[in-house]
Amino acid sequence: MNHLKAYVSNIQRFSVHDGQGIRTTIFLLGCPLRCKWCQNPETLNSKPVIMMNQGLCAECGACMNACPQRAISLDEQGIMITDNQQCNYCFECTAACYFNARQVSGRQYTSDELFHDVIKDKEFYLSSGGGVTISGGEPTMHTDYCCQLFKMLKEQGIHAAIETCGYTKWESFERLIPVADLFLYDIKLFDENKHKKWTGVSNELILENLIKLDQANQNIIIRIPLIPTVNDDEAEFMKIIGFVKKLQAVEEVHILPFHQLGSSKYKLVGKLYDLEDLPEENNDRVEKCKNIALDAGFRVSIGGAGFKKR
Ligand code: SF4
Ligand code: SF4
């Protein structure tokens, strides 16, 4: 078999927030959305990124000297900056940095390598009813890769889940349906204009794909990131739940309250973060939204641990 390759930013073992049981969550690089609240900015582009921690930098200059592209320079404030147009992702600079100020996020794995890595925890998956979840980024940007990995996992009896934003051609889901046991499907906003404003894209395709997945009677859990002032008001949340209620196959909803845990990563990857001043999600609002989903007849999890076994 020709084992495909993809870039992985993180392999999170013993995860209990991305589906049922004990799982390994794999974060692939590349996402077509630009949600302003994203807490994994290092996964947005499909290539590895350099994470630069200025606080650890000793200004020794080793990275500048190591760079064959002359892409690194010092600005007027003595801060190391990288010219991304010049950079060719050779990562000589990260290898040269003794202080770990400059690190790379993203390593290429063949599907076979990744399989051998995650299968080490097989006994935990089987004893807890867990398995492997592919997240991102957006996994459907690497559909064939995910299919290869899932086929290998299925041969071992391991539960395979995919976490998706749904913004992809329907053909991606058609290819995934035979090999995926669970779709963790994100809905961020029901209002299309607000969706465009906060994520950069329309939600039309996302909702269309969800309806088709439901008609194909797939195992789907809806995940709603709850973002203060964006979608945590009763009216917007009820619209989302009202839409999901019309689906046949969905019985479970996960509410993921907004936090700021990944906000410091924006500085590390040299990106601007717009929601620095947004408070973390308030418990009363979480409870209100939870009750709306419960009243609609769903099993509801706060934070993403799953109940369902199928
Ligand atoms: S090698 Fe590391 S510590 Fe030295 S200047 Fe570069 S980033 Fe800073
Ligand atoms: S990755 Fe390579 S080209 Fe890019 S800044 Fe580092 S050493 Fe230079």
Side-chain angles (χ1 to χ4, degrees), residues 67-72 81-90:
C67 177
Q69 296 292 109
R70 304 256 174 266
I72 308 170
I81 51 168
T82 305
D83 181 344
N84 291 325
Q85 304 298 322
Q86 291 293 320
C87 176
N88 66 359
Y89 306 100
C90 69

Side-chain angles (χ1 to χ4, degrees), residues 52 60-68 72 80 92-94 96-97 102:
M52 176 69 203
C60 66
C63 55
M64 283 201 292
N65 296 334
C67 177
I72 308 170
M80 289 285 159
E92 298 284 337
C93 56
T94 55
C97 179
R102 214 173 161 84

Side-chain angles (χ1 to χ4, degrees), residues 15 33 56-57 62 69 128 183 197 213 220 243 248 274 305:
S15 163
L33 270 60
L56 294 179
C57 177
Q69 296 292 109
S128 69
F183 292 87
K197 174 183 166 192
L213 259 191
I220 306 165
F243 175 82
Q248 302 297 314
D274 292 341

Side-chain angles (χ1 to χ4, degrees), residues 150 154 158-161 176-177 179-183 218-219 310:
F150 280 2
K154 275 184 100 71
I158 308 296
H159 185 271
L176 284 161
I177 283 173
V179 288
D181 296 302
L182 170 65
F183 292 87
Q218 292 306 292
N219 189 18
R310 181 171 137 183

Side-chain angles (χ1 to χ4, degrees), residues 100-112:
N100 288 331
R102 214 173 161 84
Q103 296 192 39
V104 60
S105 172
R107 193 202 128 179
Q108 201 171 48
Y109 284 80
T110 64
S111 55
D112 188 46

Side-chain angles (χ1 to χ4, degrees), residues 236-250:
E236 181 59 36
F237 196 81
M238 280 174 96
K239 279 188 215 162
I240 297 174
I241 292 297
F243 175 82
V244 178
K245 178 89 180 132
K246 289 187 196 140
L247 303 171
Q248 302 297 314
V250 179

Side-chain angles (χ1 to χ4, degrees), residues 161-228:
I162 190 154
E163 187 189 3
T164 177
C165 71
Y167 191 79
T168 185
K169 288 182 184 159
W170 170 245
E171 291 76 53
S172 293
F173 287 114
E174 278 184 320
R175 296 212 295 282
L176 284 161
I177 283 173
V179 288
D181 296 302
L182 170 65
F183 292 87
L184 296 160
Y185 204 106
D186 293 1
I187 301 188
K188 278 107 177 163
L189 283 149
F190 189 72
D191 182 282
E192 188 182 4
N193 287 329
K194 282 193 198 165
H195 199 279
K196 276 187 194 157
K197 174 183 166 192
W198 289 100
T199 73
V201 303
S202 157
N203 59 0
E204 199 182 338
L205 179 64
I206 295 169
L207 299 180
E208 258 176 42
N209 282 336
L210 178 55
I211 291 170
K212 288 182 184 168
L213 259 191
D214 182 63
Q215 286 167 347
N217 193 31
Q218 292 306 292
N219 189 18
I220 306 165
I221 294 176
I222 298 297
R223 304 202 0 144
I224 307 169
L226 203 64
I227 317 296

Side-chain angles (χ1 to χ4, degrees), residues 28-91:
L28 297 182
L29 292 189
C31 185
L33 270 60
R34 290 294 179 268
C35 304
K36 290 192 186 292
W37 53 82
C38 178
Q39 295 295 302
N40 295 316
E42 75 282 15
T43 66
L44 295 179
N45 296 329
S46 45
K47 289 209 171 149
V49 288
I50 292 165
M51 300 184 82
M52 176 69 203
N53 187 336
Q54 294 292 348
L56 294 179
C57 177
E59 296 174 16
C60 66
C63 55
M64 283 201 292
N65 296 334
C67 177
Q69 296 292 109
R70 304 256 174 266
I72 308 170
S73 57
L74 267 182
D75 75 2
E76 287 126 24
Q77 279 110 37
I79 290 176
M80 289 285 159
I81 51 168
T82 305
D83 181 344
N84 291 325
Q85 304 298 322
Q86 291 293 320
C87 176
N88 66 359
Y89 306 100
C90 69
F91 301 114

